[in-house]
PDB file of all heavy atoms in Angstrom:
ATOM      1  N   PHE A  14      16.073  64.418 -39.774  1.00  0.00           N
ATOM      2  CA  PHE A  14      16.976  65.548 -39.679  1.00  0.00           C
ATOM      3  C   PHE A  14      16.682  66.391 -40.938  1.00  0.00           C
ATOM      4  O   PHE A  14      17.107  65.953 -42.057  1.00  0.00           O
ATOM      5  CB  PHE A  14      18.416  65.042 -39.700  1.00  0.00           C
ATOM      6  CG  PHE A  14      18.799  64.276 -38.463  1.00  0.00           C
ATOM      7  CD1 PHE A  14      19.181  62.997 -38.437  1.00  0.00           C
ATOM      8  CD2 PHE A  14      18.855  64.951 -37.198  1.00  0.00           C
ATOM      9  CE1 PHE A  14      19.516  62.259 -37.376  1.00  0.00           C
ATOM     10  CE2 PHE A  14      19.124  64.298 -36.068  1.00  0.00           C
ATOM     11  CZ  PHE A  14      19.547  62.947 -36.085  1.00  0.00           C
ATOM     12  N   ILE A  19      15.726  59.391 -41.122  1.00  0.00           N
ATOM     13  CA  ILE A  19      16.788  58.538 -40.669  1.00  0.00           C
ATOM     14  C   ILE A  19      16.170  57.232 -40.058  1.00  0.00           C
ATOM     15  O   ILE A  19      16.670  56.172 -40.337  1.00  0.00           O
ATOM     16  CB  ILE A  19      17.759  59.247 -39.841  1.00  0.00           C
ATOM     17  CG1 ILE A  19      18.424  60.506 -40.546  1.00  0.00           C
ATOM     18  CG2 ILE A  19      18.823  58.262 -39.314  1.00  0.00           C
ATOM     19  CD1 ILE A  19      19.342  60.099 -41.642  1.00  0.00           C
ATOM     20  N   GLY A  37      23.330  46.238 -38.169  1.00  0.00           N
ATOM     21  CA  GLY A  37      22.948  46.966 -39.385  1.00  0.00           C
ATOM     22  C   GLY A  37      24.210  47.600 -39.933  1.00  0.00           C
ATOM     23  O   GLY A  37      25.175  47.875 -39.112  1.00  0.00           O
ATOM     24  N   PRO A  38      24.258  48.062 -41.211  1.00  0.00           N
ATOM     25  CA  PRO A  38      25.407  48.676 -41.818  1.00  0.00           C
ATOM     26  C   PRO A  38      25.588  50.004 -41.185  1.00  0.00           C
ATOM     27  O   PRO A  38      24.827  50.539 -40.507  1.00  0.00           O
ATOM     28  CB  PRO A  38      24.982  48.666 -43.246  1.00  0.00           C
ATOM     29  CG  PRO A  38      23.547  48.454 -43.347  1.00  0.00           C
ATOM     30  CD  PRO A  38      23.142  47.801 -42.218  1.00  0.00           C
ATOM     31  N   ASN A  39      26.748  50.578 -41.456  1.00  0.00           N
ATOM     32  CA  ASN A  39      27.120  51.970 -41.030  1.00  0.00           C
ATOM     33  C   ASN A  39      26.112  52.874 -41.532  1.00  0.00           C
ATOM     34  O   ASN A  39      25.770  52.816 -42.677  1.00  0.00           O
ATOM     35  CB  ASN A  39      28.545  52.357 -41.528  1.00  0.00           C
ATOM     36  CG  ASN A  39      29.590  51.491 -40.881  1.00  0.00           C
ATOM     37  OD1 ASN A  39      30.305  50.668 -41.466  1.00  0.00           O
ATOM     38  ND2 ASN A  39      29.805  51.903 -39.533  1.00  0.00           N
ATOM     39  N   GLY A  40      25.661  53.791 -40.742  1.00  0.00           N
ATOM     40  CA  GLY A  40      24.756  54.750 -41.097  1.00  0.00           C
ATOM     41  C   GLY A  40      23.348  54.428 -41.198  1.00  0.00           C
ATOM     42  O   GLY A  40      22.401  55.027 -41.581  1.00  0.00           O
ATOM     43  N   ALA A  41      23.071  53.187 -40.604  1.00  0.00           N
ATOM     44  CA  ALA A  41      21.676  52.669 -40.725  1.00  0.00           C
ATOM     45  C   ALA A  41      20.746  53.481 -39.770  1.00  0.00           C
ATOM     46  O   ALA A  41      19.582  53.412 -40.026  1.00  0.00           O
ATOM     47  CB  ALA A  41      21.698  51.138 -40.406  1.00  0.00           C
ATOM     48  N   GLY A  42      21.330  53.993 -38.771  1.00  0.00           N
ATOM     49  CA  GLY A  42      20.545  54.689 -37.764  1.00  0.00           C
ATOM     50  C   GLY A  42      20.452  53.993 -36.344  1.00  0.00           C
ATOM     51  O   GLY A  42      19.679  54.264 -35.545  1.00  0.00           O
ATOM     52  N   LYS A  43      21.437  53.198 -36.144  1.00  0.00           N
ATOM     53  CA  LYS A  43      21.413  52.426 -34.800  1.00  0.00           C
ATOM     54  C   LYS A  43      21.691  53.376 -33.785  1.00  0.00           C
ATOM     55  O   LYS A  43      20.889  53.390 -32.742  1.00  0.00           O
ATOM     56  CB  LYS A  43      22.494  51.377 -34.836  1.00  0.00           C
ATOM     57  CG  LYS A  43      22.444  50.391 -36.016  1.00  0.00           C
ATOM     58  CD  LYS A  43      23.510  49.374 -36.072  1.00  0.00           C
ATOM     59  CE  LYS A  43      24.874  49.958 -36.250  1.00  0.00           C
ATOM     60  NZ  LYS A  43      25.063  50.395 -37.577  1.00  0.00           N
ATOM     61  N   SER A  44      22.698  54.249 -33.816  1.00  0.00           N
ATOM     62  CA  SER A  44      22.986  55.151 -32.825  1.00  0.00           C
ATOM     63  C   SER A  44      21.760  56.101 -32.599  1.00  0.00           C
ATOM     64  O   SER A  44      21.430  56.549 -31.478  1.00  0.00           O
ATOM     65  CB  SER A  44      24.349  55.934 -32.991  1.00  0.00           C
ATOM     66  OG  SER A  44      25.386  55.035 -33.036  1.00  0.00           O
ATOM     67  N   THR A  45      21.245  56.572 -33.777  1.00  0.00           N
ATOM     68  CA  THR A  45      20.133  57.522 -33.658  1.00  0.00           C
ATOM     69  C   THR A  45      18.985  56.887 -32.914  1.00  0.00           C
ATOM     70  O   THR A  45      18.289  57.576 -32.151  1.00  0.00           O
ATOM     71  CB  THR A  45      19.662  57.888 -35.149  1.00  0.00           C
ATOM     72  OG1 THR A  45      20.839  58.261 -35.844  1.00  0.00           O
ATOM     73  CG2 THR A  45      18.657  58.865 -35.019  1.00  0.00           C
ATOM     74  N   LEU A  46      18.715  55.551 -33.153  1.00  0.00           N
ATOM     75  CA  LEU A  46      17.572  54.979 -32.477  1.00  0.00           C
ATOM     76  C   LEU A  46      17.900  54.904 -30.888  1.00  0.00           C
ATOM     77  O   LEU A  46      17.059  55.279 -30.158  1.00  0.00           O
ATOM     78  CB  LEU A  46      17.503  53.489 -33.026  1.00  0.00           C
ATOM     79  CG  LEU A  46      16.420  52.641 -32.367  1.00  0.00           C
ATOM     80  CD1 LEU A  46      15.086  53.303 -32.702  1.00  0.00           C
ATOM     81  CD2 LEU A  46      16.440  51.195 -32.951  1.00  0.00           C
ATOM     82  N   GLN A  86      28.683  55.270 -28.111  1.00  0.00           N
ATOM     83  CA  GLN A  86      29.633  54.777 -29.054  1.00  0.00           C
ATOM     84  C   GLN A  86      30.940  55.459 -29.020  1.00  0.00           C
ATOM     85  O   GLN A  86      32.006  55.086 -29.094  1.00  0.00           O
ATOM     86  CB  GLN A  86      29.009  54.939 -30.532  1.00  0.00           C
ATOM     87  CG  GLN A  86      29.819  54.362 -31.634  1.00  0.00           C
ATOM     88  CD  GLN A  86      29.161  54.396 -32.911  1.00  0.00           C
ATOM     89  OE1 GLN A  86      28.035  54.807 -33.044  1.00  0.00           O
ATOM     90  NE2 GLN A  86      29.889  53.983 -33.971  1.00  0.00           N
ATOM     91  N   GLU A 173      27.868  49.865 -29.422  1.00  0.00           N
ATOM     92  CA  GLU A 173      29.278  49.367 -29.800  1.00  0.00           C
ATOM     93  C   GLU A 173      30.329  49.376 -28.650  1.00  0.00           C
ATOM     94  O   GLU A 173      31.333  49.985 -28.738  1.00  0.00           O
ATOM     95  CB  GLU A 173      29.821  50.107 -30.930  1.00  0.00           C
ATOM     96  CG  GLU A 173      28.761  50.134 -32.090  1.00  0.00           C
ATOM     97  CD  GLU A 173      29.347  50.501 -33.463  1.00  0.00           C
ATOM     98  OE1 GLU A 173      30.593  50.283 -33.622  1.00  0.00           O
ATOM     99  OE2 GLU A 173      28.690  50.799 -34.379  1.00  0.00           O
ATOM    100  N   HIS A 204      29.164  45.212 -34.244  1.00  0.00           N
ATOM    101  CA  HIS A 204      29.352  44.800 -35.503  1.00  0.00           C
ATOM    102  C   HIS A 204      29.956  43.472 -35.617  1.00  0.00           C
ATOM    103  O   HIS A 204      29.876  42.757 -36.718  1.00  0.00           O
ATOM    104  CB  HIS A 204      30.401  45.764 -36.184  1.00  0.00           C
ATOM    105  CG  HIS A 204      29.654  47.042 -36.626  1.00  0.00           C
ATOM    106  ND1 HIS A 204      28.663  47.045 -37.603  1.00  0.00           N
ATOM    107  CD2 HIS A 204      29.881  48.276 -36.243  1.00  0.00           C
ATOM    108  CE1 HIS A 204      28.335  48.340 -37.716  1.00  0.00           C
ATOM    109  NE2 HIS A 204      28.963  49.071 -36.956  1.00  0.00           N
TER     110      HIS A 204
ATOM    111  N   GLU C 178      28.227  71.106 -38.592  1.00  0.00           N
ATOM    112  CA  GLU C 178      29.128  70.075 -39.147  1.00  0.00           C
ATOM    113  C   GLU C 178      29.477  70.524 -40.546  1.00  0.00           C
ATOM    114  O   GLU C 178      30.367  69.996 -41.242  1.00  0.00           O
ATOM    115  CB  GLU C 178      28.566  68.677 -38.946  1.00  0.00           C
ATOM    116  CG  GLU C 178      27.388  68.380 -39.837  1.00  0.00           C
ATOM    117  CD  GLU C 178      26.122  68.764 -39.112  1.00  0.00           C
ATOM    118  OE1 GLU C 178      26.294  69.378 -38.068  1.00  0.00           O
ATOM    119  OE2 GLU C 178      25.028  68.545 -39.675  1.00  0.00           O
TER     120      GLU C 178
HETATM  121  N1  ATP D 501      22.455  65.269 -35.931  1.00  0.00           N
HETATM  122  C1  ATP D 501      22.302  64.771 -37.135  1.00  0.00           C
HETATM  123  N2  ATP D 501      21.957  65.541 -38.176  1.00  0.00           N
HETATM  124  C2  ATP D 501      21.897  65.077 -39.508  1.00  0.00           C
HETATM  125  N3  ATP D 501      22.098  63.781 -39.859  1.00  0.00           N
HETATM  126  C3  ATP D 501      22.492  62.970 -38.831  1.00  0.00           C
HETATM  127  C4  ATP D 501      22.604  63.475 -37.449  1.00  0.00           C
HETATM  128  N4  ATP D 501      22.983  62.359 -36.645  1.00  0.00           N
HETATM  129  C5  ATP D 501      23.072  61.394 -37.563  1.00  0.00           C
HETATM  130  N5  ATP D 501      22.831  61.703 -38.841  1.00  0.00           N
HETATM  131  C6  ATP D 501      22.715  60.762 -40.007  1.00  0.00           C
HETATM  132  O1  ATP D 501      21.853  59.703 -39.679  1.00  0.00           O
HETATM  133  C7  ATP D 501      22.363  58.516 -40.232  1.00  0.00           C
HETATM  134  C8  ATP D 501      22.423  57.508 -39.080  1.00  0.00           C
HETATM  135  O2  ATP D 501      23.426  57.809 -38.211  1.00  0.00           O
HETATM  136  P1  ATP D 501      23.706  56.807 -36.980  1.00  0.00           P
HETATM  137  O3  ATP D 501      24.827  57.393 -36.212  1.00  0.00           O
HETATM  138  O4  ATP D 501      22.449  56.467 -36.241  1.00  0.00           O
HETATM  139  O5  ATP D 501      24.272  55.461 -37.657  1.00  0.00           O
HETATM  140  P2  ATP D 501      24.712  54.196 -37.061  1.00  0.00           P
HETATM  141  O6  ATP D 501      23.800  53.033 -37.544  1.00  0.00           O
HETATM  142  O7  ATP D 501      24.927  54.271 -35.653  1.00  0.00           O
HETATM  143  O8  ATP D 501      26.070  53.887 -37.882  1.00  0.00           O
HETATM  144  P3  ATP D 501      27.557  53.444 -37.262  1.00  0.00           P
HETATM  145  O9  ATP D 501      27.553  52.025 -37.397  1.00  0.00           O
HETATM  146  O10 ATP D 501      28.559  54.067 -38.113  1.00  0.00           O
HETATM  147  O11 ATP D 501      27.651  53.953 -35.824  1.00  0.00           O
HETATM  148  C9  ATP D 501      23.666  58.856 -40.827  1.00  0.00           C
HETATM  149  O12 ATP D 501      23.638  59.011 -42.186  1.00  0.00           O
HETATM  150  C10 ATP D 501      24.088  60.212 -40.195  1.00  0.00           C
HETATM  151  O13 ATP D 501      24.795  60.944 -41.152  1.00  0.00           O
END
Side-chain angles (χ1 to χ4, degrees):
Chain A
F14 291 114
I19 298 291
N39 289 106
K43 304 179 295 293
S44 295
T45 305
L46 182 60
Q86 181 174 0
E173 305 202 19
H204 282 299
Chain C
E178 67 278 2

